[in-house]
Amino acid sequence: MVKNIAGYITLGLTICVIAYVSFAENETIDLSKYSTKGLGLNYTVGLNDVKDQDLIASNEVFTPYLGKSFIGFKEAVAFKESRGNYACINTFGYLGKYQFGEETLKLIGIYNAKAFLNDPKLQEKAFIANASRNKWILRRDIRNFVGKRINGVLVTESGILAAAHLAGPGSVKKYLRSYGLDNFADGFGTTVYTYMKRFSGYDTSFIKPNKKAKAM
């Protein structure tokens, strides 16, 4: 009997201690004293960026897996060109995330290479403008060759646009119209064939053909 009473007393004291500690902890936390007011908060993505239709495909939801979406296309090209580095300048003087030459930049209205290199948003616009211009130049070849196989590779619009980014639309025309015999290679040995194969099957319907496309 004495042991039972002692057990009850011990249990009661334990409950009281737990309750006291719990209430004491609650009393020491005053959330009203915590605020982000006045702090300089840094975000890697601005709230307005996701609304910028120059950067993303219309109505497309961002996910870590980009697949064959338009965003997947441009980021895959960027990774191949520079590993996605906006500040990259290669040994041949090509600039930025997508490795533009200065003459190509002039075609889409950009004349200040230094400003271009320091402006990621402008680089994204340049990619869209250049792709739009190339799509207009290659519109007949896209119509005539998409769905065919050249050198064993299925010709797709995204493959054509990627190859045009690498080699220029003129070189892509020669490749297609020679059925792969005229296969341009850049200074690193990368060919039109390589880009036609590597970037096949992406959704590039977001790109609209525009003869006078400008980034500025």
Side-chain angles (χ1 to χ4, degrees):
M1 183 68 175
V2 173
K3 290 182 178 181
N4 289 340
I5 294 173
Y8 288 133
I9 292 173
T10 301
L11 179 61
L13 288 173
T14 301
I15 294 172
C16 289
V17 170
I18 293 173
Y20 173 78
V21 171
S22 177
F23 285 121
E25 287 179 351
N26 289 337
E27 288 176 357
T28 58
I29 300 174
D30 185 357
L31 296 178
S32 66
K33 294 180 180 180
Y34 293 84
S35 173
T36 58
K37 184 178 181 181
L39 295 178
L41 302 178
N42 295 317
Y43 296 94
T44 57
V45 179
L47 294 178
N48 294 325
D49 287 352
V50 295
K51 299 178 182 178
D52 191 341
Q53 295 304 303
D54 289 328
L55 302 183
I56 61 174
S58 177
N59 298 324
E60 190 159 14
V61 178
F62 175 80
T63 65
Y65 177 71
L66 299 174
K68 292 290 185 176
S69 67
F70 172 70
I71 300 178
F73 170 70
K74 74 180 186 67
E75 293 304 322
V77 172
F79 187 80
K80 177 65 173 67
E81 294 287 344
S82 71
R83 296 298 187 269
N85 182 2
Y86 286 109
C88 179
I89 304 176
N90 78 3
T91 54
F92 297 101
Y94 288 85
L95 306 167
K97 179 179 178 180
Y98 300 101
Q99 293 291 278
F100 279 98
E102 291 190 37
E103 293 305 311
T104 300
L105 290 177
K106 290 176 183 177
L107 293 174
I108 54 176
I110 300 172
Y111 299 93
N112 188 327
K114 184 177 180 180
F116 169 78
L117 200 61
N118 292 319
D119 190 340
K121 191 170 184 178
L122 181 58
Q123 292 189 35
E124 297 294 342
K125 290 183 177 181
F127 181 81
I128 302 296
N130 188 55
S132 295
R133 182 176 174 276
N134 287 339
K135 190 168 182 175
W136 185 86
I137 295 171
L138 292 163
R139 63 196 184 283
R140 292 189 181 91
D141 297 277
I142 289 171
R143 183 174 64 246
N144 293 334
F145 287 96
V146 165
K148 296 181 179 179
R149 286 189 178 272
I150 295 179
N151 290 332
V153 175
L154 181 67
V155 178
T156 64
E157 182 180 283
S158 62
I160 289 174
L161 293 180
H165 182 84
L166 169 78
S171 294
V172 175
K173 281 187 178 184
K174 291 177 182 178
Y175 176 84
L176 293 171
R177 296 178 188 185
S178 70
Y179 283 86
L181 295 177
D182 192 335
N183 189 15
F184 169 90
D186 70 1
F188 296 106
T190 307
T191 64
V192 168
Y193 164 83
T194 300
Y195 266 49
M196 292 282 288
K197 181 178 181 180
R198 183 163 187 164
F199 298 103
S200 175
Y202 286 87
D203 180 6
T204 52
S205 60
F206 175 72
I207 299 295
K208 305 304 178 186
N210 184 353
K211 180 181 181 181
K212 299 180 179 180
K214 302 292 181 185
M216 299 297 289

